[in-house]
Amino acid sequence: MKVKMLSRNPDNYVRETKLDLQRVPRNYDPTLHPFEVSREYVRALNATKLERVFAKPFLASLDGHRDGVNCLAKHPKSLATVLSGACDGEVRIWNLTKRKCIRTIQAHEGFVRGICTRFCGTSFFTVGDDKTVKQWKMDAPGYGEEEEPLHTILGKTVYTGIDHHWKDPAFATCGQQVDIWDEQRTNPICSMTWGFDSINSVKFNPIETFLLGSCASDRNIVLYDMRQATPLKKVILDMRTNTICWNPMEAFIFTAANEDYNLYTFDMRALDTPVMVHMDHVSAVLDVDYCPTGKEFVSASFDKSIRIFPVDRSRSREVYHTKRMQHVICVRWTADSKYIMCGSDEMNIRLWKANASEKLGVLASRERAAQDYNQKLKEKFQHHPNIKRIARHRHLPKSIYSQIQEQRIMREARRRKELNRRKHSKPGSVPVVSERKKHVVAVVK
Amino acid sequence: MWLMQAAKMKAIQTIEDLLALSQQEELVDLPNNYPLSASEDEGDSDEERKHQKLLQAISSLDKKNRWKLAERSEASLTVSEFNVSSEGSGERLGLSDLLEPVKASSSFAVMKKQLNKVKSKKTVELPLNKEEVKQIHREIAFNKTSQTLSKWDPIVLKNRQAEQLVFPLEKGQSGFIPTELVFSGWKARTPLEQEVFNLLHKNKQPVTDCLLAPMEKASLKAMSLEEAKMHRAELQRARALQSYYEARAKREKKIKSKQFHRHVKKEKAKKTLKDFDQLWKVNPTAAMDELEKIEKARMIERMSLKHQNSGRWAKSKTIMAKYDLEARQAVQEQLAKNKELTQKLQVISESEEEKRGVGEEEPLIPDVVNEVQMCADGPNPWMLRNCNSNGKEGEIQADPDQLPEPVVQKFSKSKEDKKPSAEEEILLQEFGERRCLRKNFCLNQDTDPVGSQETKDSSSQDILAKLRTLNQKLKENHHSSKQTVNRAGTVLQVQKEECVLEEEESLLCQRAERVQILVELDEGKEEHFQNEELPRPLLKWEQMKRNPNNQTDVPKEKKKEQVIDLQNLLTKSPFMKSLAIPTAVEELEDEEERNLKQMIKEAFAGDDVIRDFLKEKREAVETNKPKDVDLMLPGWGKWGGVGLRPSAKKRRRFLIKAPEGPPRKDKNLPNVIISEKRNIHATAHQVQVLPYPFTHHQQFERTIQTPVGSLWNTQRAFQKLTTPKVVTKPGHIIKPIKAEDVGCHPSSKLGLSVMQSTTAQPTRNKKQLKKNSGD
């Protein structure tokens, strides 16, 4: 008589190679897994700890400049190429993969104030303290040829900044006024002024390319329309804005790096209130650059650190510093959104990972799945006190740490004073002004 | 106004002058005009008033409002004609005021007309100052740009709320990139690449122009378009036909009717015969070839293990044959089929003449001939038997023992064996014989070439049989007619014999079945009695069955005995089993269980888990009970020391009884200890304040309680739950968002060209702006 038995297909439990993962049949009934939350919590805790363990963001330092690095520019077509201008008028082109300088140009006498690449990546422009705008070829000259600019424009005043249009052969410089140049002409095709103070920087909007933003020494940010050759609006803040940067994914959003240690994200259609005030720096913010995904930006500060802010958060998610890094003057986020470069006073350009604990290189699919899972867990349990504490913990240099403490005390004192004043005066006479509105002095039409 | 007066004094010399004046409306400084008016006032008598006016004028020189109207404070008869007041019409002196005195005279008609025209024209407003104009421009421009920008709102919102964003945003170039483009500026460097290129060059494969190789081109040239089309159409038709045919075959195969299939088989056989006939007539050599082929096929068929008892199916059927009538029949059918083939072998081994196929039908040879043949032939008991079976009354001439022929040797053997043995034994024996035969055959046929062809299904075999007969017939053509008859007779003989065998066997099967059923109905204890009784109906039935066959009684008797034996065999064993097994098994199981319990008891003899647990619970309850506080001090108010106990009264007095706590939660749960102490260590890990985006603690709890991991979710759900918000490709440049990427065109493409034009012609631009502002 035949005996009937339970039989299983070996295909279901025998793996073909040892690399295969066995599919374990599993009952997902939640009543059978009473400890899922606690297990996930432990996993999240471990993931957070490991993230801090592996957080080693510093990748390389590019040294070669003989003076402080004053400006940086990305190559629009090549991820490995970076251009930098120094305070002694030297421009260097770097290869990031080799971490070497591939070309050196003595471009100006005095500072290189601004540098920008053409949208096609064939040439770049520099402005310097010698009142000139120079256009250079991206490729090095052949053997025996002299290093010479393609074009040189001699201006009447000093130019303090330059930016190239994202699509057309036009660029804008700033100084006494904002000039817009055609590449083929030696005179600006239009110059726009509003007020009489010197302008620090000018930036083209990468999406609506006819828009420009500039910031001047008289504490204001001015927006221009290139098509109508007219300024649009001006917002005056508490202190001077050093530079602005447009969000590459949201046409009307820009962030301003201010001297009052804060960064302000504005919607350009409603300048009277910034969308977000980003505060964490303890000294003037000198430069800002957006991540190409438009979700985050990086800021360089006089307090010798760079910070990464999510666009929708007022506090930074990351701070990078090294012992040797001095005042950071310029910072750029690479076009693949993976790295950050910063140029600082002590003549070095540093390369950082944008995500401190990210593993570089190709990931196996299982590795990636595990990474995603860990990320999700961290996100899920982010409010739990232990996890929050570990995730937020950063080591800071003493100067910054003490500054933060000091400023916290100051802020607290101010707040208390205001409260007291409100308490002891007629109700309504001392209105509550939100942090966002506090810093905007006026909007000029 | 002074000017006006002066103008009137001059009696309005020309209309043009007046027009100019009225249009101008610009006020000229007084000092220029004053002397003029003064000189003309010389004729005036009112000195005093003059003087006053002068003073007034001088005093108002440095003031803002120089053009104060002269007020008439009192009524007087003499009203100066220069001192026209405009009190009624506000502060301004209208043109109509001046024209009123001219009304009467008709000579001024033309002038009046012109003046009316002037009156209808509006005055031009004062141009705004430069700053204000700029501001207006700026506001307009700002509104415009914010309008264009607001077209991005939905996209921005979508991106912000997106579950996942994949960068770079622009989709990869899906368009066709010509190979030349890719290939230019690329060289084979590595040895592998070089090798590949060498190969390509050797085979004249195109390297740059990838579309067609030279061979392909040539082939293309060889066939014109029309030809190709025709060819294609033909192919299509063939394919369609094939598919129809296949569909039909499938349909036919599905038909369950056996009759139909039989019919089809017959039809096929007939057709092949006919075809063969035709072929024979037309092309005899081809027909011979065909014949040879058939011969070969037959040989192969015989060599193969088909229709033997060695197959899986056959084995299973032999096992089932004990119990299942159908299975038995099937086995026997197969045996019969095999016999056909083996029969042939005997014929071959005996003589060349008898090498004939065994067909079920012999259409070419009529029955009459057969009969004649039978008569003519010697006393062949088989033939006689066949005759008998054909319907004529007769007796069985011979015992199976007497059968002498080698042709039916094995059959006779089986006949012999049948008597003492049970049916299954017969079957087994037959199979055994078959095996032996096969071996012999193999030995005999070692020299024969073994073809690769095999006829697989029964229908093909039928056809084979037909063709064999045909073959036979053809051969017969070369021999005498007598021989033909002879052969046919033998063939028929064999056939008949087979029929009989089959019938008998089936009968046996049925009988056995019957017996079994009956036996099963009765109790097993009455075996002997049953054995006596049973055969009667059985016999009757047998007789009824046999009547058409006209079998004699002798074998009947024997058969009966067999049946009884068989019955004994069959009845005894199953009944024993059926009675004994279940109870025994139950007992066994009980025993096993007992054993198991015993074993477990022995194994865990030392540790009584339940008692331990109860003890533990008692302890837990005790420890968690609120304790009484004893404030007694021994020796207080009484003697104390070793062996002295404070009095019970004192003890009671200083004992503070702890209040009864709430009932324990595990009071009624005997198998559980519920600790009601709060775990302090856990609080450090718990969220104290509801985090920001959540509005209710339940929301938050729910998000925490849903697990993410793959242990608690299906693979797909896990993947869905853990998708990262932003995905970037390493090494890819992420460009700023473009309207084309998103699929909308928010901004008009004006750009630089517009700007240049505006700068070149600033005035026109301003006008445009004005227009815009007007809009």
mmCIF file of all heavy atoms in Angstrom, chain A residues 26 40-41 43 77 189 208 225-226 228 231 248 250 269 335 376 380 386 445, chain B residues 138 141 145 152-153 160 685 704 706 708-709 711 721 733-734 737 747 755:
data_model
loop_
_atom_site.group_PDB
_atom_site.id
_atom_site.type_symbol
_atom_site.label_atom_id
_atom_site.label_comp_id
_atom_site.label_asym_id
_atom_site.label_seq_id
_atom_site.Cartn_x
_atom_site.Cartn_y
_atom_site.Cartn_z
ATOM 1 N N ARG A 26 6.997 32.445 5.640
ATOM 2 C CA ARG A 26 6.829 33.119 6.914
ATOM 3 C C ARG A 26 5.391 33.523 7.116
ATOM 4 O O ARG A 26 4.711 33.918 6.169
ATOM 5 C CB ARG A 26 7.712 34.363 6.930
ATOM 6 C CG ARG A 26 8.301 34.613 8.297
ATOM 7 C CD ARG A 26 9.115 35.868 8.296
ATOM 8 N NE ARG A 26 8.923 36.558 9.543
ATOM 9 C CZ ARG A 26 9.419 36.163 10.684
ATOM 10 N NH1 ARG A 26 10.154 35.091 10.759
ATOM 11 N NH2 ARG A 26 9.189 36.854 11.785
ATOM 12 N N GLU A 40 12.359 46.562 16.275
ATOM 13 C CA GLU A 40 12.681 47.627 15.322
ATOM 14 C C GLU A 40 13.338 48.802 16.031
ATOM 15 O O GLU A 40 14.212 49.458 15.467
ATOM 16 C CB GLU A 40 11.415 48.079 14.596
ATOM 17 C CG GLU A 40 10.950 47.053 13.609
ATOM 18 C CD GLU A 40 10.383 47.654 12.354
ATOM 19 O OE1 GLU A 40 9.618 48.621 12.464
ATOM 20 O OE2 GLU A 40 10.717 47.166 11.260
ATOM 21 N N TYR A 41 12.914 49.033 17.239
ATOM 22 C CA TYR A 41 13.518 50.138 17.987
ATOM 23 C C TYR A 41 14.997 49.875 18.200
ATOM 24 O O TYR A 41 15.837 50.760 17.991
ATOM 25 C CB TYR A 41 12.797 50.305 19.330
ATOM 26 C CG TYR A 41 13.456 51.315 20.226
ATOM 27 C CD1 TYR A 41 13.324 52.674 19.957
ATOM 28 C CD2 TYR A 41 14.246 50.931 21.288
ATOM 29 C CE1 TYR A 41 13.941 53.604 20.754
ATOM 30 C CE2 TYR A 41 14.870 51.850 22.087
ATOM 31 C CZ TYR A 41 14.715 53.189 21.820
ATOM 32 O OH TYR A 41 15.340 54.120 22.599
ATOM 33 N N ARG A 43 16.867 48.026 16.428
ATOM 34 C CA ARG A 43 17.539 48.162 15.133
ATOM 35 C C ARG A 43 17.788 49.615 14.795
ATOM 36 O O ARG A 43 18.847 49.986 14.297
ATOM 37 C CB ARG A 43 16.684 47.535 14.035
ATOM 38 C CG ARG A 43 16.742 46.044 14.056
ATOM 39 C CD ARG A 43 15.876 45.484 12.968
ATOM 40 N NE ARG A 43 15.757 44.038 13.111
ATOM 41 C CZ ARG A 43 15.068 43.288 12.282
ATOM 42 N NH1 ARG A 43 14.449 43.835 11.274
ATOM 43 N NH2 ARG A 43 14.999 41.993 12.466
ATOM 44 N N LYS A 77 29.778 70.491 -17.253
ATOM 45 C CA LYS A 77 29.672 69.207 -17.952
ATOM 46 C C LYS A 77 30.497 68.102 -17.304
ATOM 47 O O LYS A 77 30.261 66.933 -17.571
ATOM 48 C CB LYS A 77 30.157 69.361 -19.409
ATOM 49 C CG LYS A 77 29.369 70.356 -20.211
ATOM 50 C CD LYS A 77 28.094 69.758 -20.748
ATOM 51 C CE LYS A 77 27.264 70.835 -21.419
ATOM 52 N NZ LYS A 77 25.968 70.379 -21.831
ATOM 53 N N ILE A 189 25.372 95.525 -22.433
ATOM 54 C CA ILE A 189 24.160 95.816 -23.182
ATOM 55 C C ILE A 189 23.125 96.484 -22.306
ATOM 56 O O ILE A 189 22.219 97.136 -22.811
ATOM 57 C CB ILE A 189 23.575 94.557 -23.847
ATOM 58 C CG1 ILE A 189 23.600 93.389 -22.885
ATOM 59 C CG2 ILE A 189 24.288 94.231 -25.121
ATOM 60 C CD1 ILE A 189 23.009 92.143 -23.471
ATOM 61 N N GLU A 208 14.168 80.154 -14.417
ATOM 62 C CA GLU A 208 13.675 81.285 -15.208
ATOM 63 C C GLU A 208 14.887 82.159 -15.461
ATOM 64 O O GLU A 208 15.213 83.057 -14.676
ATOM 65 C CB GLU A 208 12.587 82.040 -14.447
ATOM 66 C CG GLU A 208 11.315 81.256 -14.270
ATOM 67 C CD GLU A 208 10.604 80.965 -15.580
ATOM 68 O OE1 GLU A 208 11.039 81.497 -16.628
ATOM 69 O OE2 GLU A 208 9.637 80.198 -15.566
ATOM 70 N N ASP A 225 14.982 91.943 -13.670
ATOM 71 C CA ASP A 225 14.490 91.200 -14.821
ATOM 72 C C ASP A 225 15.316 91.613 -16.015
ATOM 73 O O ASP A 225 15.364 92.792 -16.371
ATOM 74 C CB ASP A 225 13.006 91.509 -15.054
ATOM 75 C CG ASP A 225 12.404 90.594 -16.094
ATOM 76 O OD1 ASP A 225 13.173 90.048 -16.904
ATOM 77 O OD2 ASP A 225 11.175 90.426 -16.085
ATOM 78 N N MET A 226 15.956 90.638 -16.618
ATOM 79 C CA MET A 226 16.869 90.963 -17.697
ATOM 80 C C MET A 226 16.116 91.335 -18.970
ATOM 81 O O MET A 226 16.550 92.164 -19.750
ATOM 82 C CB MET A 226 17.729 89.727 -17.958
ATOM 83 C CG MET A 226 18.942 89.965 -18.774
ATOM 84 S SD MET A 226 19.876 88.462 -18.894
ATOM 85 C CE MET A 226 19.168 87.756 -20.342
ATOM 86 N N GLN A 228 13.245 92.922 -19.271
ATOM 87 C CA GLN A 228 12.687 94.268 -19.236
ATOM 88 C C GLN A 228 13.705 95.293 -18.783
ATOM 89 O O GLN A 228 13.379 96.465 -18.634
ATOM 90 C CB GLN A 228 11.460 94.281 -18.323
ATOM 91 C CG GLN A 228 10.385 93.353 -18.858
ATOM 92 C CD GLN A 228 9.307 93.098 -17.843
ATOM 93 O OE1 GLN A 228 9.123 93.844 -16.917
ATOM 94 N NE2 GLN A 228 8.594 92.003 -18.037
ATOM 95 N N PRO A 231 15.104 96.665 -12.515
ATOM 96 C CA PRO A 231 15.006 95.967 -11.232
ATOM 97 C C PRO A 231 13.542 95.720 -10.893
ATOM 98 O O PRO A 231 12.647 96.419 -11.392
ATOM 99 C CB PRO A 231 15.636 96.928 -10.235
ATOM 100 C CG PRO A 231 15.968 98.161 -10.958
ATOM 101 C CD PRO A 231 15.643 98.018 -12.388
ATOM 102 N N PRO A 248 17.634 75.305 -7.428
ATOM 103 C CA PRO A 248 17.614 74.821 -8.811
ATOM 104 C C PRO A 248 16.367 74.020 -9.176
ATOM 105 O O PRO A 248 16.203 73.635 -10.326
ATOM 106 C CB PRO A 248 18.852 73.928 -8.894
ATOM 107 C CG PRO A 248 19.102 73.501 -7.511
ATOM 108 C CD PRO A 248 18.607 74.581 -6.608
ATOM 109 N N GLU A 250 13.161 74.931 -7.648
ATOM 110 C CA GLU A 250 11.984 75.753 -7.401
ATOM 111 C C GLU A 250 12.304 77.165 -7.854
ATOM 112 O O GLU A 250 13.140 77.846 -7.259
ATOM 113 C CB GLU A 250 11.609 75.703 -5.914
ATOM 114 C CG GLU A 250 11.231 74.294 -5.510
ATOM 115 C CD GLU A 250 11.123 74.096 -4.013
ATOM 116 O OE1 GLU A 250 11.217 75.087 -3.269
ATOM 117 O OE2 GLU A 250 10.956 72.953 -3.602
ATOM 118 N N ARG A 269 8.259 86.142 -4.661
ATOM 119 C CA ARG A 269 6.997 86.847 -4.877
ATOM 120 C C ARG A 269 6.479 87.484 -3.600
ATOM 121 O O ARG A 269 5.615 88.349 -3.643
ATOM 122 C CB ARG A 269 5.966 85.857 -5.426
ATOM 123 C CG ARG A 269 6.345 85.307 -6.762
ATOM 124 C CD ARG A 269 5.496 84.134 -7.130
ATOM 125 N NE ARG A 269 5.622 83.042 -6.179
ATOM 126 C CZ ARG A 269 4.930 81.921 -6.239
ATOM 127 N NH1 ARG A 269 4.044 81.765 -7.193
ATOM 128 N NH2 ARG A 269 5.099 80.973 -5.351
ATOM 129 N N ALA A 335 27.727 68.726 -8.741
ATOM 130 C CA ALA A 335 26.520 68.569 -9.546
ATOM 131 C C ALA A 335 25.875 67.207 -9.410
ATOM 132 O O ALA A 335 24.735 67.016 -9.823
ATOM 133 C CB ALA A 335 26.838 68.827 -11.010
ATOM 134 N N LYS A 376 14.982 54.318 6.943
ATOM 135 C CA LYS A 376 13.565 54.409 7.277
ATOM 136 C C LYS A 376 13.363 54.254 8.793
ATOM 137 O O LYS A 376 12.554 54.957 9.397
ATOM 138 C CB LYS A 376 12.820 53.292 6.530
ATOM 139 C CG LYS A 376 11.344 53.478 6.494
ATOM 140 C CD LYS A 376 10.971 54.568 5.545
ATOM 141 C CE LYS A 376 9.534 54.969 5.798
ATOM 142 N NZ LYS A 376 9.141 56.078 4.950
ATOM 143 N N LYS A 380 11.742 56.789 11.363
ATOM 144 C CA LYS A 380 10.540 56.397 12.114
ATOM 145 C C LYS A 380 10.720 56.683 13.604
ATOM 146 O O LYS A 380 9.803 57.164 14.260
ATOM 147 C CB LYS A 380 10.283 54.915 11.865
ATOM 148 C CG LYS A 380 9.024 54.384 12.497
ATOM 149 C CD LYS A 380 8.885 52.897 12.188
ATOM 150 C CE LYS A 380 7.884 52.266 13.122
ATOM 151 N NZ LYS A 380 7.886 50.807 13.005
ATOM 152 N N ASN A 386 16.493 58.754 23.071
ATOM 153 C CA ASN A 386 17.850 58.237 22.945
ATOM 154 C C ASN A 386 18.375 58.346 21.525
ATOM 155 O O ASN A 386 19.523 58.727 21.289
ATOM 156 C CB ASN A 386 17.881 56.771 23.384
ATOM 157 C CG ASN A 386 18.250 56.653 24.846
ATOM 158 O OD1 ASN A 386 18.406 57.679 25.518
ATOM 159 N ND2 ASN A 386 18.369 55.440 25.323
ATOM 160 N N LYS A 445 9.418 98.890 -3.331
ATOM 161 C CA LYS A 445 8.878 98.543 -4.641
ATOM 162 C C LYS A 445 9.619 99.286 -5.737
ATOM 163 O O LYS A 445 10.103 100.369 -5.526
ATOM 164 C CB LYS A 445 7.401 98.879 -4.689
ATOM 165 C CG LYS A 445 6.578 97.878 -3.894
ATOM 166 C CD LYS A 445 5.123 98.276 -3.908
ATOM 167 C CE LYS A 445 4.313 97.292 -3.071
ATOM 168 N NZ LYS A 445 2.909 97.745 -2.974
ATOM 169 N N ARG B 138 8.842 99.275 -12.315
ATOM 170 C CA ARG B 138 9.294 98.143 -11.507
ATOM 171 C C ARG B 138 8.120 97.295 -11.039
ATOM 172 O O ARG B 138 8.147 96.076 -11.109
ATOM 173 C CB ARG B 138 10.072 98.659 -10.287
ATOM 174 C CG ARG B 138 11.473 99.101 -10.604
ATOM 175 C CD ARG B 138 12.289 99.156 -9.348
ATOM 176 N NE ARG B 138 11.787 100.115 -8.393
ATOM 177 C CZ ARG B 138 12.287 101.338 -8.198
ATOM 178 N NH1 ARG B 138 13.330 101.733 -8.926
ATOM 179 N NH2 ARG B 138 11.787 102.146 -7.302
ATOM 180 N N ALA B 141 6.732 95.306 -13.858
ATOM 181 C CA ALA B 141 7.629 94.190 -14.204
ATOM 182 C C ALA B 141 7.549 93.102 -13.154
ATOM 183 O O ALA B 141 7.505 91.900 -13.473
ATOM 184 C CB ALA B 141 9.058 94.704 -14.323
ATOM 185 N N THR B 145 6.535 89.201 -13.722
ATOM 186 C CA THR B 145 7.413 88.053 -13.445
ATOM 187 C C THR B 145 6.789 87.126 -12.405
ATOM 188 O O THR B 145 6.894 85.917 -12.531
ATOM 189 C CB THR B 145 8.792 88.497 -12.935
ATOM 190 O OG1 THR B 145 8.604 89.605 -12.072
ATOM 191 C CG2 THR B 145 9.713 88.849 -14.036
ATOM 192 N N TRP B 152 4.874 77.883 -11.930
ATOM 193 C CA TRP B 152 5.671 76.771 -11.407
ATOM 194 C C TRP B 152 5.066 76.180 -10.142
ATOM 195 O O TRP B 152 5.527 75.146 -9.667
ATOM 196 C CB TRP B 152 7.087 77.249 -11.098
ATOM 197 C CG TRP B 152 7.932 77.400 -12.313
ATOM 198 C CD1 TRP B 152 8.170 78.538 -13.008
ATOM 199 C CD2 TRP B 152 8.659 76.373 -12.982
ATOM 200 N NE1 TRP B 152 8.985 78.287 -14.071
ATOM 201 C CE2 TRP B 152 9.303 76.961 -14.077
ATOM 202 C CE3 TRP B 152 8.805 75.010 -12.763
ATOM 203 C CZ2 TRP B 152 10.092 76.232 -14.945
ATOM 204 C CZ3 TRP B 152 9.596 74.292 -13.629
ATOM 205 C CH2 TRP B 152 10.230 74.898 -14.711
ATOM 206 N N ASP B 153 4.089 76.845 -9.596
ATOM 207 C CA ASP B 153 3.558 76.423 -8.300
ATOM 208 C C ASP B 153 3.161 74.952 -8.225
ATOM 209 O O ASP B 153 3.590 74.236 -7.320
ATOM 210 C CB ASP B 153 2.363 77.299 -7.913
ATOM 211 C CG ASP B 153 2.822 78.506 -7.123
ATOM 212 O OD1 ASP B 153 3.893 78.407 -6.510
ATOM 213 O OD2 ASP B 153 2.119 79.530 -7.124
ATOM 214 N N ARG B 160 7.528 68.671 -3.940
ATOM 215 C CA ARG B 160 7.706 68.679 -2.488
ATOM 216 C C ARG B 160 6.969 67.527 -1.840
ATOM 217 O O ARG B 160 7.415 66.958 -0.861
ATOM 218 C CB ARG B 160 7.177 69.992 -1.911
ATOM 219 C CG ARG B 160 8.181 71.111 -2.016
ATOM 220 C CD ARG B 160 7.609 72.361 -1.403
ATOM 221 N NE ARG B 160 8.458 73.509 -1.673
ATOM 222 C CZ ARG B 160 8.094 74.751 -1.443
ATOM 223 N NH1 ARG B 160 6.901 75.001 -0.932
ATOM 224 N NH2 ARG B 160 8.916 75.746 -1.707
ATOM 225 N N HIS B 685 13.600 55.489 27.122
ATOM 226 C CA HIS B 685 13.488 55.268 25.682
ATOM 227 C C HIS B 685 12.158 55.727 25.117
ATOM 228 O O HIS B 685 11.897 55.557 23.940
ATOM 229 C CB HIS B 685 13.671 53.786 25.377
ATOM 230 C CG HIS B 685 15.032 53.278 25.716
ATOM 231 N ND1 HIS B 685 16.094 53.388 24.859
ATOM 232 C CD2 HIS B 685 15.518 52.696 26.833
ATOM 233 C CE1 HIS B 685 17.168 52.869 25.421
ATOM 234 N NE2 HIS B 685 16.852 52.448 26.627
ATOM 235 N N ILE B 704 4.257 54.190 14.902
ATOM 236 C CA ILE B 704 5.337 53.418 15.510
ATOM 237 C C ILE B 704 5.001 51.934 15.488
ATOM 238 O O ILE B 704 5.869 51.087 15.303
ATOM 239 C CB ILE B 704 5.559 53.902 16.963
ATOM 240 C CG1 ILE B 704 6.082 55.338 16.982
ATOM 241 C CG2 ILE B 704 6.521 52.989 17.715
ATOM 242 C CD1 ILE B 704 7.423 55.521 16.351
ATOM 243 N N THR B 706 3.253 50.174 13.326
ATOM 244 C CA THR B 706 3.327 49.441 12.058
ATOM 245 C C THR B 706 4.784 49.147 11.752
ATOM 246 O O THR B 706 5.575 50.064 11.575
ATOM 247 C CB THR B 706 2.740 50.259 10.902
ATOM 248 O OG1 THR B 706 3.218 51.590 11.042
ATOM 249 C CG2 THR B 706 1.253 50.232 10.898
ATOM 250 N N VAL B 708 8.198 48.020 9.759
ATOM 251 C CA VAL B 708 8.703 48.304 8.416
ATOM 252 C C VAL B 708 9.466 47.112 7.859
ATOM 253 O O VAL B 708 9.482 46.873 6.662
ATOM 254 C CB VAL B 708 9.632 49.535 8.458
ATOM 255 C CG1 VAL B 708 10.109 49.897 7.078
ATOM 256 C CG2 VAL B 708 8.914 50.718 9.065
ATOM 257 N N GLY B 709 10.073 46.335 8.750
ATOM 258 C CA GLY B 709 11.045 45.333 8.314
ATOM 259 C C GLY B 709 10.465 44.206 7.495
ATOM 260 O O GLY B 709 9.252 43.996 7.461
ATOM 261 N N LEU B 711 10.772 41.192 8.048
ATOM 262 C CA LEU B 711 10.319 40.065 8.857
ATOM 263 C C LEU B 711 8.811 40.109 9.060
ATOM 264 O O LEU B 711 8.182 39.089 9.297
ATOM 265 C CB LEU B 711 10.996 40.101 10.231
ATOM 266 C CG LEU B 711 12.430 39.602 10.303
ATOM 267 C CD1 LEU B 711 12.935 39.735 11.716
ATOM 268 C CD2 LEU B 711 12.505 38.167 9.865
ATOM 269 N N LEU B 721 7.711 50.264 1.536
ATOM 270 C CA LEU B 721 7.835 51.048 2.760
ATOM 271 C C LEU B 721 9.203 51.693 2.892
ATOM 272 O O LEU B 721 9.337 52.712 3.555
ATOM 273 C CB LEU B 721 7.581 50.144 3.972
ATOM 274 C CG LEU B 721 6.130 49.796 4.261
ATOM 275 C CD1 LEU B 721 6.050 48.728 5.313
ATOM 276 C CD2 LEU B 721 5.374 51.027 4.733
ATOM 277 N N ILE B 733 25.284 64.182 -13.662
ATOM 278 C CA ILE B 733 25.098 65.594 -13.351
ATOM 279 C C ILE B 733 23.598 65.887 -13.273
ATOM 280 O O ILE B 733 22.844 65.523 -14.166
ATOM 281 C CB ILE B 733 25.773 66.472 -14.414
ATOM 282 C CG1 ILE B 733 27.281 66.332 -14.307
ATOM 283 C CG2 ILE B 733 25.344 67.920 -14.269
ATOM 284 C CD1 ILE B 733 28.049 67.018 -15.388
ATOM 285 N N ILE B 734 23.202 66.489 -12.192
ATOM 286 C CA ILE B 734 21.794 66.851 -12.030
ATOM 287 C C ILE B 734 21.650 68.299 -12.450
ATOM 288 O O ILE B 734 22.216 69.189 -11.821
ATOM 289 C CB ILE B 734 21.349 66.659 -10.571
ATOM 290 C CG1 ILE B 734 21.578 65.218 -10.152
ATOM 291 C CG2 ILE B 734 19.899 67.050 -10.409
ATOM 292 C CD1 ILE B 734 21.433 65.001 -8.675
ATOM 293 N N ILE B 737 15.955 72.116 -12.919
ATOM 294 C CA ILE B 737 14.699 71.678 -13.540
ATOM 295 C C ILE B 737 14.401 72.550 -14.756
ATOM 296 O O ILE B 737 14.721 73.739 -14.789
ATOM 297 C CB ILE B 737 13.560 71.741 -12.500
ATOM 298 C CG1 ILE B 737 12.382 70.909 -12.940
ATOM 299 C CG2 ILE B 737 13.140 73.168 -12.228
ATOM 300 C CD1 ILE B 737 11.363 70.727 -11.840
ATOM 301 N N SER B 747 7.436 79.566 -19.129
ATOM 302 C CA SER B 747 8.005 80.855 -19.512
ATOM 303 C C SER B 747 8.101 80.963 -21.020
ATOM 304 O O SER B 747 8.423 80.020 -21.719
ATOM 305 C CB SER B 747 9.392 80.988 -18.908
ATOM 306 O OG SER B 747 10.236 80.021 -19.486
ATOM 307 N N MET B 755 15.607 91.775 -24.649
ATOM 308 C CA MET B 755 16.322 92.721 -23.813
ATOM 309 C C MET B 755 17.135 93.690 -24.654
ATOM 310 O O MET B 755 17.139 94.886 -24.434
ATOM 311 C CB MET B 755 17.230 91.951 -22.871
ATOM 312 C CG MET B 755 17.948 92.796 -21.900
ATOM 313 S SD MET B 755 19.389 91.944 -21.339
ATOM 314 C CE MET B 755 20.381 91.967 -22.799
#
